[in-house]
Amino acid sequence: MRPLPAMRPPLIRLTRRARRRLAADAALLAVAAAFAVPLLWLALASVDPEAGLSVRAPDAPSADNFSAVLTDEITFTPMLNSLLLCGAATALTVACAALAAYPLSRFRSRFGRSYLLTILFMTCLPITAVMVPVYGLFVRINLIDTMSGTILFLAAAQLPFAVWLMKNFMDGVPTSLEEAAWTDGAGRLTALVRIVLPLMGPGTAVVAVYCFALMWGNFFVPFLLLLSPDRLPASVTVFTFFGNHGQVAYGQLAAFSVLYSTPVVLLYALVARRLGGGFALGGAVKG
């Protein structure tokens, strides 16, 4: 008898949809790796006394890099300046955005859409395009090298997009709740502070975290408007780790970066549960 021919394994043909799915997954993995590798280097280099540009596990992990940067001049004073600048500017931005978004949300006008589009367009303007006239203005009115002047400009720079976000969140609060407050004798400002803003707490938190994170990482504005070394925030004092001849203390830079990113991470962790809770309107509209 003639031997039977060997059975060939069946060819697996991927459908076009499956190929697209695999290509999309590969692209997402590449993007995830592009974000994960720098973070991995940051974590490893911060505990490596001989850290360089390459990603490698330290031979003998130690906390020497953190000990070197935990000083008043390098970390504590700049971090305190950053908290003061960003915290005050965020509070000012949220307050002004709420006051500006309320009439845009509650009153209808034929110029309302054009005004909102103008506000959105202002968010697209690069900050470098206005820094030269702003610097000249600050010199003329004696606001250069002052914390108050820098806070005002940081708040003004973030205000357009904050107004846009705040208005969209405020649209979700029913006006019937304000009308009930008006019936009890409350004014518009009282209704805004005691009714609208508490109900749109997640939206207010989103605006605050967004503004704080952008201000926290802003380097250009405080670098130009603040001249005294004792007033510089942490985003500017990162220059401390770069030498004059191309030498960089990579381990200390990584340790400082870990400490520098901690406040923003903690802020998001504190409000993350509230961000996912949605608007607290369920009990407010019953009855």
Side-chain angles (χ1 to χ4, degrees):
M1 296 180 63
R2 301 173 63 182
L4 296 175
M7 298 294 293
R8 294 182 178 180
L11 297 177
I12 300 177
R13 296 182 178 180
L14 297 177
T15 63
R16 180 179 299 179
R17 183 177 180 181
R19 289 196 298 268
R20 291 179 177 176
R21 181 67 179 271
L22 289 177
D25 292 341
L28 290 176
L29 287 176
V31 173
F35 281 94
V37 170
L39 295 178
L40 180 62
W41 175 87
L42 194 68
L44 295 176
S46 63
V47 294
D48 188 359
E50 301 178 355
L53 283 176
S54 60
V55 180
R56 70 181 186 91
D59 298 329
S62 69
D64 293 342
N65 293 325
F66 289 95
S67 300
V69 301
L70 286 175
T71 62
D72 290 338
E73 182 181 359
I74 296 178
T75 300
F76 295 121
T77 300
M79 292 283 280
L80 183 61
N81 292 337
S82 293
L83 290 174
L84 177 61
L85 284 174
C86 301
T90 299
L92 182 60
T93 302
V94 172
C96 294
L99 294 176
Y102 183 75
L104 292 174
S105 175
R106 292 299 185 256
F107 299 101
R108 296 293 178 261
S109 173
R110 59 178 180 177
F111 301 107
R113 180 174 176 80
S114 301
Y115 184 73
L116 287 173
L117 293 177
T118 303
I119 291 178
L120 189 61
F121 171 76
M122 293 173 62
T123 63
C124 302
L125 293 176
I127 197 69
T128 54
V130 297
M131 282 310 300
V132 173
V134 166
Y135 184 86
L137 176 64
F138 273 42
V139 170
R140 184 176 294 272
I141 61 179
N142 295 324
L143 282 180
I144 198 71
D145 197 24
T146 61
M147 299 291 283
S148 58
T150 308
I151 289 172
L152 288 175
F153 184 75
L154 286 173
Q158 298 300 326
L159 188 58
F161 196 68
V163 172
W164 179 274
L165 279 180
M166 191 74 75
K167 188 263 179 188
N168 290 333
F169 286 120
M170 200 170 289
D171 289 341
V173 180
T175 57
S176 58
L177 302 177
E178 297 174 69
E179 294 173 354
W182 298 339
T183 305
D184 295 335
R188 290 191 179 274
L189 183 59
T190 304
L192 172 64
V193 174
R194 295 189 178 183
I195 303 297
V196 179
L197 291 180
L199 291 177
M200 54 174 290
T204 306
V206 168
V207 176
V209 172
Y210 173 82
C211 294
F212 186 88
L214 289 184
M215 295 175 189
W216 187 261
N218 195 313
F219 166 82
F220 195 62
V221 172
F223 178 72
L224 289 181
L225 299 183
L226 294 175
L227 307 178
S228 301
D230 58 338
R231 297 177 182 175
L232 294 177
S235 59
V236 178
T237 56
V238 72
F239 269 143
T240 306
F241 308 102
F242 293 87
N244 296 327
H245 303 284
Q247 298 178 353
V248 183
Y250 290 107
Q252 296 181 18
L253 176 62
F256 179 81
S257 299
V258 171
L259 297 173
Y260 178 62
S261 60
T262 300
V264 177
V265 175
L266 291 178
L267 177 63
Y268 179 78
L270 289 174
V271 301
R273 182 177 300 179
R274 186 170 178 83
L275 292 179
F279 289 99
L281 298 179
V285 296
K286 290 182 179 180

